[in-house]
Amino acid sequence: MSLVKSIYRKLNPPQLLTLGFLLIITLGALLLSMPQASAGGTRTPFLDALFTATSAACVTGLVVVDTGTHYSVFGQVVILTLMQVGGLGFMTMATMFALMFRKRISLKDRLVLQEAMNQHSLEGIISLIRKVLLYSLLIELAGALILAARWSAELPLGEAAYLGVFHSISMFTNAGFDIMGALHGPYSGMTRHVDDPVVNVVVMLLIFLGGVGFVVLAEIVDFQKRKKLSLHAKVVLSTTLLLFAVGTIVIFVFEFTNAKTTGQLSFSGRLLSAMFQSVSPRSGGANTLDISQMRQATQFFIVLLMFIGASPGSSGGGIKVTTFAILAAAVYTMMRGKQDVVLFRHRLQHERVYKALTMTLASLFVIILFTMLLSVTEPNASLLMILFEVTSAFGTCGLSMGLTTLLSEPGKVLIIIMMFIGRLGPLTLAYSLKRGNEKELFKYPEGKITIG
């Protein structure tokens, strides 16, 4: 025990987060590879179990075997636990138990929580964690009750309740796992509910609330008291709603006459499915349309949405909506010949712009690299299919054009690594490799380079 404490003290917060996720994924893979975890009572190959455990802990949703038909109830509960721990964060869960047993939260614990929640300071971090746990429980419970009530009209109450709990947690944590394959056939997803308003609206709300970020969620709940929102919340909500509106319009128009997706639906069904597919790429991972049958233009547009992803401080991946907003504002500022990047009458520090640019370029580099590597290991797949799968793994989205189930063993390893990078973020992984902060002792002379 003293050795564990010694290691804990020596590691910095990014290193602890990286190590924590690795341990959770390893434990999950060992449990999922047991015979009791599969519906047939046979051992799942360890690489497939590791893929599923990584996808669940990193709240991605990509699968190499159908969750509803391959895994037993025990295996599905393991996946459910991994989604909950991975979605809220293992440090959040550890803090919950510490608070329950009245244990002291050390400064090191608070620093790790600050890194996990992507906060700028330690002020109010424990209060935020309490709100995260309370809001998560209430939202997941509400979602489970509504979904269970909807499915109880077709299924026994116990089965409907189980489906409600599983999918409520899966969608709120933005994991995207579903067990509908047990009812409608392997890999069917939620395609049978494409024009079901109750299922669609509830799932979309769960994905939105889980992906908007816990800090913003707390501000929304407290809005009646404070009567105002922070700059961060304004940027997150406005950008999220803008992307949702644009995504709905683009998908609705592109797929309007596609007989393989929305062409056979009513007008309201087409609109509802377009709205759902606009929300889901933002790290949700559920689908009511067959992604592989969409037009290439729609598939590429979904790649862009997956790359942007969800909000900071949420369980979602991608470069985050705030990064996208800052870059868009910076481009607009430069085109107007101005110096300061301004959002909602607030000037942003240049450091924020540099970090947004660094995050975007690092993410693009990782996606390009893994797309090239997968094009070698999966020579029969098209470039768009590979790019779609890689971006889905990076954005911890879980949408697939069908390549994941056909991956070779090297391809599975590459996607596992990509899901891990996507959940922690390229910058967190880079910081975990740093030995310490090196101060700049001098500055180089200023130089000029011609651009454009």
Side-chain angles (χ1 to χ4, degrees):
M1 197 68 181
S2 59
L3 178 62
V4 174
K5 288 184 178 179
S6 176
I7 295 174
Y8 182 78
R9 292 192 188 99
K10 290 180 180 179
L11 297 177
N12 61 37
Q15 290 171 337
L16 284 170
L17 289 176
T18 303
L19 181 61
F21 269 103
L22 285 173
L23 291 175
I24 292 168
I25 289 169
T26 303
L27 177 60
L30 291 172
L31 291 173
L32 290 176
S33 63
M34 295 169 59
Q36 295 90 334
S38 71
T42 58
R43 281 191 173 274
T44 301
F46 184 76
L47 184 59
D48 289 349
L50 179 63
F51 190 103
T52 304
T54 305
S55 184
C58 296
V59 289
T60 304
L62 290 174
V63 292
V64 289
V65 293
D66 181 66
T67 310
T69 55
H70 179 82
Y71 290 106
S72 64
V73 174
F74 170 74
Q76 292 171 7
V77 170
V78 171
I79 293 172
L80 193 65
T81 305
L82 289 172
M83 290 189 298
Q84 188 73 85
V85 174
L88 298 183
F90 68 93
M91 277 304 299
T92 302
M93 302 300 290
T95 304
M96 177 185 72
F97 288 110
L99 292 173
M100 286 172 58
F101 293 103
R102 300 180 182 277
K103 297 289 185 180
R104 177 178 169 271
I105 311 297
S106 67
L107 177 61
K108 185 63 174 288
D109 295 334
R110 294 168 191 261
L111 288 170
V112 179
L113 286 169
Q114 178 190 354
E115 179 70 24
M117 299 304 295
N118 202 11
Q119 294 298 290
H120 300 301
S121 70
L122 291 175
E123 185 180 358
I125 192 69
I126 301 302
S127 175
L128 175 62
I129 296 301
R130 286 196 179 97
K131 290 180 180 179
V132 167
L133 294 168
L134 177 61
Y135 298 159
S136 300
L137 177 63
L138 293 176
I139 292 170
E140 289 174 350
L141 179 60
L145 289 174
I146 298 172
L147 290 175
R150 165 63 186 85
W151 285 322
S152 65
E154 305 168 359
L155 302 167
L157 184 59
E159 188 175 355
Y162 177 63
L163 286 174
V165 170
F166 187 97
H167 291 97
S168 181
I169 293 175
S170 177
M171 299 309 156
F172 178 71
T173 58
N174 281 201
F177 276 81
D178 72 83
I179 51 176
M180 303 306 291
L183 299 175
H184 308 307
Y187 309 110
S188 57
M190 293 194 170
T191 52
R192 294 292 183 93
H193 301 286
V194 62
D195 54 358
D196 187 319
V198 175
V199 173
N200 277 259
V201 171
V202 171
V203 171
M204 282 192 289
L205 283 174
L206 287 170
I207 293 173
F208 169 77
L209 293 173
V212 79
F214 296 114
V215 176
V216 177
L217 194 58
E219 286 197 42
I220 293 174
V221 174
D222 294 338
F223 183 74
Q224 289 295 331
K225 295 179 181 178
R226 301 178 59 184
K227 299 297 182 182
K228 64 177 182 178
L229 294 173
S230 67
L231 174 62
H232 171 78
K234 289 178 182 178
V235 172
V236 166
L237 292 174
S238 60
T239 309
T240 298
L241 293 175
L242 176 63
L243 290 171
F244 168 68
V246 172
T248 299
I249 293 170
V250 170
I251 295 172
F252 180 82
V253 172
F254 284 1
E255 297 298 312
F256 192 84
T257 57
N258 187 351
K260 296 179 180 179
T261 54
T262 67
Q264 303 299 322
L265 300 174
S266 63
F267 182 86
S268 60
R270 289 171 177 171
L271 180 60
L272 194 61
S273 62
M275 292 169 64
F276 192 97
Q277 262 61 229
S278 178
V279 171
S280 191
R282 311 289 310 294
S283 202
N287 64 290
T288 56
L289 297 175
D290 187 347
I291 304 297
S292 64
Q293 298 299 322
M294 288 180 168
R295 292 195 167 100
Q296 285 190 353
T298 311
Q299 292 167 344
F300 187 74
F301 180 74
I302 289 176
V303 168
L304 299 178
L305 291 179
M306 292 190 296
F307 179 71
I308 296 171
S311 307
S314 72
S315 54
I319 62 170
K320 305 296 191 294
V321 295
T322 48
T323 302
F324 173 74
I326 290 172
L327 288 180
V331 171
Y332 179 70
T333 300
M334 184 62 67
M335 291 176 67
R336 294 182 62 201
K338 303 291 184 179
Q339 291 292 325
D340 294 329
V341 178
V342 178
L343 287 170
F344 291 98
R345 298 184 178 181
H346 284 75
R347 177 175 53 85
L348 300 182
Q349 295 178 333
H350 288 169
E351 179 191 352
R352 297 287 97 191
V353 181
Y354 294 151
K355 188 172 182 178
L357 183 60
T358 303
M359 178 67 184
T360 304
L361 289 179
S363 301
L364 279 174
F365 173 78
V366 170
I367 288 174
I368 291 170
L369 174 63
F370 276 73
T371 300
M372 291 172 60
L373 293 175
L374 267 180
S375 66
V376 175
T377 64
E378 318 302 320
N380 296 323
S382 68
L383 183 62
L384 178 57
M385 182 178 283
I386 293 172
L387 176 64
F388 193 101
E389 225 75 7
V390 170
T391 310
S392 180
F394 170 78
T396 66
C397 177
L399 293 177
S400 174
M401 289 176 60
L403 178 60
T404 303
T405 56
L406 306 175
L407 288 172
S408 62
E409 290 195 353
K412 290 177 184 177
V413 173
L414 288 172
I415 293 296
I416 287 172
I417 297 171
M418 193 56 162
M419 289 189 291
F420 188 74
I421 294 174
R423 179 63 181 95
L424 289 175
L427 295 185
T428 300
L429 285 175
Y431 293 153
S432 70
L433 299 176
K434 287 176 61 178
R435 293 185 177 181
N437 294 323
E438 297 180 1
K439 293 183 179 180
E440 295 184 2
L441 301 179
F442 60 92
K443 287 187 177 182
Y444 290 99
E446 187 177 282
K448 294 182 179 180
I449 299 177
T450 303
I451 298 176

